[in-house]
Amino acid sequence: VKRVIVALDPAVEGDVEKLLGIARLACREGAGIKVGLPMLALGGSEAVSEAARLCSGGGLRVLDLKLADIGYVMRLAVESLARGFDAAIAHAFIGSEGALEELKGALEGMGVRLVLVLSMSHQGSAEVIDPCLDRLISVATRVRPWGVVAPATRPGVIARVRSAMPRTVIMSPGVGAQGGRPGDAICLGGADYEIVGRVVTRSPDPVSALRSVAGSIAERCPERLLPAST
Ligand code: BMP
């Protein structure tokens, strides 16, 4: 089972084409792609849609706008951009009524699954977001998203989320460039996917970089990669 999702974040306009090339690789050799604001800002909505199209043969396509607005505005944002994606990410802290409830309905109508951010990989999240983790988990339990985001940099937080939400897909960023070791999130925290950006996209050899991350996870907890463990 493939467990590595590649975050395609171009740093300059010239990166867009290169990262679209990596999209194919990420969906063939990895578990899929995550595309967000850097791709939208530098490549426009065409590049965002193209990334999803390049992966239409297989692989998870996650649109990461980290939405945090009223339901009406989030609906407008996803109606055009989320087409062709399998899942879209929003923040849990905005709550259900008037926000996530409406977003979930809009996404479901398009065949797109909802993913909620419960905790983030940077230090500020440990200070500000994590003290509210139980509240955020209770929002997620009410909204019942397909997936949630929890940080590879703090596997203990992932483990808390996993025990509260045993059947929800957990995606974990923060591997490599932000200090998480490949396998920390899946093997120690019980996540389903590790999200890796720069380690793959900035590598002179993205294929080997992706294989190396996947290989390290497989070495650390081969049992977690069996189909039955999902
Ligand atoms: P990188 O591996 O290059 O650090 O990229 C991490 C990716 O995961 C980025 O696309 C970022 O937006 C995303 N991400 C994160 O780093 N921390 C979070 O808590 C949530 C994220 O979506």
Side-chain angles (χ1 to χ4, degrees):
V1 176
K2 295 168 177 170
R3 301 285 189 180
V4 181
I5 293 175
V6 180
L8 302 176
D9 296 321
V12 292
E13 225 171 281
D15 282 349
V16 170
E17 282 307 313
K18 178 187 154 202
L19 292 201
L20 289 175
I22 295 178
R24 280 188 203 279
L25 160 76
C27 288
R28 195 183 58 233
E29 300 242 349
I33 56 168
K34 183 179 82 65
V35 182
L37 291 175
M39 183 65 87
L40 182 61
L42 294 170
S45 58
E46 301 77 20
V48 170
S49 307
E50 179 65 2
R53 202 190 57 76
L54 288 169
C55 275
S56 52
L60 263 179
R61 297 154 301 176
V62 182
L63 178 65
D64 180 16
L65 300 175
K66 284 200 188 64
L67 294 165
D69 213 318
I70 56 169
Y72 168 73
V73 169
M74 294 193 291
R75 177 188 285 270
L76 297 181
V78 297
E79 260 168 6
S80 58
L81 281 173
R83 278 191 206 288
F85 284 86
D86 301 296
I89 300 180
H91 273 291
F93 68 73
I94 59 177
S96 180
E97 287 79 35
L100 293 172
E101 193 179 59
E102 187 170 342
L103 175 64
K104 192 181 181 210
L107 290 173
E108 274 173 1
M110 303 165 62
V112 180
R113 294 171 278 195
L114 176 64
V115 175
L116 294 182
V117 178
L118 292 181
S119 172
M120 296 186 66
S121 55
H122 62 296
Q123 187 52 34
S125 175
E127 288 159 16
V128 178
I129 301 181
D130 291 7
C132 305
L133 188 62
D134 290 336
R135 282 290 281 283
L136 297 174
I137 288 173
S138 87
V139 170
T141 307
R142 190 139 37 98
V143 174
R144 293 164 46 88
W146 171 76
V148 294
V149 175
T153 46
R154 297 193 302 289
V157 170
I158 308 175
R160 276 174 69 190
V161 172
R162 173 51 76 216
S163 78
M165 310 186 79
R167 278 179 234 296
T168 307
V169 168
I170 302 178
M171 303 182 176
S172 296
V175 179
Q178 298 179 55
R181 281 175 61 209
D184 282 353
I186 290 177
C187 306
L188 306 180
D192 297 289
Y193 297 103
E194 296 193 5
I195 297 173
V196 181
R198 286 163 283 181
V199 162
V200 171
T201 57
R202 300 288 154 80
S203 165
D205 183 354
V207 180
S208 304
L210 176 55
R211 286 183 185 159
S212 154
V213 171
S216 305
I217 300 171
E219 222 166 79
R220 285 181 72 184
C221 56
E223 72 287 355
R224 290 278 297 129
L225 304 191
L226 299 173
S229 71
T230 346

